[in-house]
Amino acid sequence: GAVVSQHPSWVICKSGTSVKIECRSLDFQATTMFWYRQFPKQSLMLMATSNEGSKATYEQGVEKDKFLINHASLTLSTLTVTSAHPEDSSFYICSATPGQGVQPQHFGDGTRLSIL
Amino acid sequence: QKEVEQDPGPLSVPEGAIVSLNCTYSNSAFQYFMWYRQYSRKGPELLMYTYSSGNKEDGRFTAQVDKSSKYISLFIRDSQPSDSATYLCAMSAGDDKIIFGKGTRLHILP
């Protein structure tokens, strides 16, 4: 149980392109989803917390106009990297919690984004 | 001092050995402690989830939490090459946020 699917797994695109990443909870309803960024050999850095039906809460230093998050249903959240540049190249991972209260997060397999 | 400290390794041990991984932390408000395993180019997979101090065992894995010392450990018995991965400790004070360690790269040598 508690399976999170992320798509696509790998994206290569030109600078200036906008890229959308989807995160789905397959076998549970996720009131809260999280978006992380991970650089090589580094830990996960939380970018934003997404609650279904409301605006995402962004961490300090994360540009909300650059990283658009939509959580339109209890099973789907999307992250759009707008006008991506090479410095946005990274591994983006989403996670979700299956219920109310303190729950461990379950992660998708991540999206490797490469901007040329 | 960072909130969560974890030796990045790499840690290399022979197959069959007992592996000991650990993290220290500074925030006494942390109550929930987790260990995740991450294979290369994959998302983290939850291994262990514990609340407050004590031990928890699941198969070959044992998690220990010592809140008085602000120290948590993960033990892997009868280690196998398939255990080779990065192990991330993580902890939470009970809100939505989880703070991760940097991860320890583990290599099990056949």
Side-chain angles (χ1 to χ4, degrees), chain B residues 13-90:
Chain B
V13 299
E15 183 176 357
I18 296 175
V19 176
S20 173
L21 305 167
N22 52 72
C23 290
T24 59
Y25 63 94
S26 58
N27 188 348
S28 57
F30 288 145
Q31 303 248 29
Y32 300 87
F33 304 91
M34 291 143 277
W35 285 95
Y36 286 86
R37 177 175 63 194
Q38 186 176 22
Y39 291 112
S40 180
R41 303 192 180 201
K42 292 288 187 181
E45 171 193 3
L46 180 67
L47 285 177
M48 302 290 279
Y49 177 60
T50 55
Y51 170 72
S52 195
S53 285
N55 294 358
K56 184 175 183 179
E57 187 174 322
D58 184 359
R60 296 184 297 112
F61 299 92
T62 300
Q64 287 186 351
V65 175
D66 182 349
K67 289 189 70 181
S68 62
S69 301
K70 296 189 179 67
Y71 187 90
I72 69 170
S73 301
L74 177 71
F75 297 96
I76 307 174
R77 291 182 298 280
D78 187 24
S79 57
Q80 301 166 9
S82 58
D83 294 328
S84 298
T86 297
Y87 290 79
L88 298 144
C89 64

Side-chain angles (χ1 to χ4, degrees), chain A residues 68-115:
Chain A
L68 300 179
I69 292 172
N70 183 278
H71 192 161
S73 77
L74 285 171
T75 59
L76 173 65
S77 177
T78 61
L79 168 68
T80 301
V81 184
T82 61
S83 186
H85 292 285
E87 58 267 28
D88 298 322
S89 298
S90 189
F91 192 50
Y92 293 87
I93 313 176
C94 71
S95 71
T97 54
Q100 299 292 338
V102 180
Q103 299 274 349
Q105 293 177 22
H106 298 271
F107 288 83
D109 269 346
T111 297
R112 187 162 302 279
L113 177 62
S114 297
I115 307 298

Side-chain angles (χ1 to χ4, degrees), chain A residues 2-17:
Chain A
V3 178
V4 176
S5 173
Q6 195 171 333
H7 178 80
S9 58
W10 197 0
V11 180
I12 302 175
C13 57
K14 293 181 179 179
S15 184
T17 306

Side-chain angles (χ1 to χ4, degrees), chain A residues 37-57:
Chain A
R37 184 171 180 175
Q38 186 178 35
F39 291 104
K41 300 184 181 181
Q42 296 293 317
S43 189
L44 287 79
M45 297 301 296
L46 180 65
M47 298 175 66
T49 302
S50 166
N51 290 295
E52 185 264 338
S54 62
K55 290 184 178 180
T57 302

